[in-house]
Amino acid sequence: MLRLASASLAGTAIEFYDFFVYGTAAALVLGPLFFPTFSPLAGTLAAFATFGVGFVARPLGSVLFGHIGDRHGRRPVLVASLLLTGGATVAVGCVPTFGSIGVLAPFLLLVLRFLQGLGLGGEWGGAVLLTAEHAPADRRGLWSSFPQVGPAVGFLLANGVMLALSAALTEAQFAAWGWRVPFWAAGVLAVAGLWLRSSLTESPQFLRIEEPARVPFAEVVRGHWRLVLLTAGALAIGYAVFYTVTTWSLAYGTERLGVSRTVMLTCVMAAVVVKGALTPVAAVLGDRYGRRPMCLVGCGVTVLWMFPLVALLATGEPLLIFFGFLVAMLAFVTMFAVVAAYLPELYEPRVRCTGAAVGYNLGGVLGGALTPIVATALAQGGRVPWGVGAYLTGIAVLSLGCFALLPETRPVPLATAAEAEAAAG
């Protein structure tokens, strides 16, 4: 289990590195380079719009790779999704800017971001299911949390490289070529990920399926649509909080508050380090006390913290900014540490790869794709962006209601997880 979970963590970290490095670049540099005819605000909005395209592609990737995972096994999904995401990320680093090829530059950026999202939409389902379906029932939350640490590691890798380049290069050097280096590094990481995943064995749960679903997505829509919508709504706030802290706040802090790029990246990274370190701890609590109670607690804290978060950010003081980010990340990890065990337990094995991944990634569209764009628009005006706080609080209330309607699953055996859905009505 340790070898399997570690390989899943490493692969997920690499894929999320690819995804996050784009978000950081969008907040810091892509607007002026690819949308130079826009005002600074419009350029940032346009860069965040290409960022959001990756989230729109993720549910489509869930359908595509979920079909492969439910028909042919979880393991092939891990290889194919890593190749697609890694290749698209390297290609982003090679796209000429608007000054070289005109409007073709942002168009290519859009296409490659779509391909990134397509690959990541398949990654999560394959990595989580391969781990969850191997794990013993009483420790499923703990082992399944390893892939959930991957996004934190990927984020730290992406932003660590950006931070180092920001500190080492002048503004002109960073804008000319420095921002491309993290994208090129994705090629090396993809090769390492493929090597790590080459020794993984297929899920025993999948091997016991006698008759795989012919068209898994059709079965999910027909028989599990309510569960998909509830999980998407429930997870929306997690995405909204994470990308508010890790993406929008970078642009707001550097452009509106005048905080240095290095300081903002350091505050964000420190909060994400704590989030990653506490993920297994929260997952163990989920094994002991249940998935749903953890999600309700985390979501409830989020409802109460969004207005203090934006108030602390608006001070421009690094310690206060970090404190705001830290509490937000603690609330986030309380929910998302148990999600990797929770979602597979809600779906029956024959459509699990599709159902769990589609619900998870639809939550990304609701909470992740729009948040940087909406927050940037709402933050215009007064010094404290209260509109952003209201927007995030509204999403949190929606998610809290969805979590309240979902059933508890611990310690439901994955082979009979369909009973959990029946309990949801």
Side-chain angles (χ1 to χ4, degrees):
M1 278 307 308
L2 182 60
R3 180 177 61 84
L4 173 67
S6 298
S8 293
L9 186 160
T12 305
I14 291 166
E15 291 227 36
F16 274 91
Y17 166 90
D18 296 348
F19 200 74
F20 288 143
V21 77
Y22 188 100
T24 305
L28 299 178
V29 75
L30 293 186
L33 293 177
F34 287 86
F35 306 95
T37 59
F38 292 14
S39 68
L41 172 61
T44 300
L45 286 169
F48 280 150
T50 61
F51 172 75
V53 166
F55 284 97
V56 175
R58 283 173 66 168
L60 300 177
S62 301
V63 174
L64 172 63
F65 289 103
H67 183 90
I68 296 171
D70 286 326
R71 290 284 301 169
H72 305 290
R74 321 310 192 196
R75 189 172 174 272
V77 171
L78 300 183
V79 175
S81 63
L82 188 58
L83 283 171
L84 178 58
T85 309
T89 305
V90 172
V92 169
C94 300
V95 175
T97 62
F98 187 93
S100 300
I101 59 174
V103 294
L104 185 59
F107 174 76
L108 290 175
L109 208 60
L110 199 69
V111 171
L112 292 171
R113 180 60 177 172
F114 182 87
L115 293 176
Q116 269 191 327
L118 207 65
L120 193 63
E123 159 65 25
W124 185 87
V128 163
L129 289 192
L130 201 63
T131 307
E133 292 182 340
H134 273 91
D138 61 340
R139 288 291 179 267
R140 189 179 301 127
L142 171 62
W143 291 116
S144 299
S145 73
F146 274 61
Q148 291 297 82
V149 178
V153 176
F155 178 84
L156 292 171
L157 281 174
N159 285 273
V161 174
M162 284 287 190
L163 183 60
L165 290 167
S166 269
L169 302 177
T170 65
E171 289 285 340
Q173 289 172 326
F174 186 79
W177 57 270
W179 68 271
R180 298 181 184 273
V181 174
F183 291 93
W184 295 336
V188 178
L189 294 175
V191 172
L194 291 171
W195 177 76
L196 284 169
R197 290 181 165 181
S198 63
S199 62
L200 297 182
T201 58
E202 186 52 79
S203 156
Q205 285 283 327
F206 175 78
L207 295 175
R208 285 198 290 268
I209 297 174
E210 296 181 0
E211 186 180 351
R214 175 175 287 185
V215 185
F217 181 64
E219 288 198 21
V220 168
V221 172
R222 188 166 54 245
H224 306 265
W225 62 269
R226 181 176 181 271
L227 186 56
V228 169
L229 293 179
L230 283 177
T231 52
L235 299 180
I237 186 55
Y239 282 102
V241 167
F242 190 86
Y243 288 101
T244 294
V245 170
T246 62
T247 302
W248 170 74
S249 70
L250 291 178
Y252 180 79
T254 55
E255 294 173 10
R256 288 289 306 280
L257 302 179
V259 181
S260 78
R261 183 163 55 208
T262 301
V263 168
M264 287 302 302
L265 282 172
T266 302
C267 290
V268 173
M269 289 173 65
V272 174
V273 166
V274 177
K275 174 255 179 192
L278 292 182
T279 295
V281 177
V284 169
L285 293 175
D287 279 330
R288 181 168 184 179
Y289 299 109
R291 326 298 189 207
R292 185 169 170 269
M294 295 291 290
C295 292
L296 289 171
V297 169
C299 200
V301 172
T302 305
V303 171
L304 299 175
W305 189 247
M306 292 302 94
F307 281 107
L309 170 64
V310 298
L312 291 168
L313 173 62
T315 64
E317 294 294 328
L319 286 178
L320 295 179
I321 292 172
F322 167 69
F323 181 66
F325 290 169
L326 177 63
V327 176
M329 287 291 98
L330 291 176
F332 169 86
V333 78
T334 304
M335 295 180 280
F336 269 55
V338 300
V339 161
Y342 197 13
L343 264 63
E345 290 169 344
L346 289 168
Y347 292 88
E348 58 181 305
R350 56 188 274 116
V351 296
R352 181 173 292 146
C353 195
T354 301
V358 169
Y360 185 84
N361 287 299
L362 275 178
V365 176
L366 296 174
L370 295 177
T371 292
I373 301 171
V374 173
T376 299
L378 291 176
Q380 304 308 305
R383 182 172 176 81
V384 181
W386 296 120
V388 178
Y391 171 74
L392 293 172
T393 302
I395 297 177
V397 170
L398 169 67
S399 293
L400 187 64
C402 290
F403 274 127
L405 294 172
L406 287 171
E408 177 56 81
T409 58
R410 182 193 64 92
V412 174
L414 283 178
T416 59
E419 296 173 7
E421 186 179 358

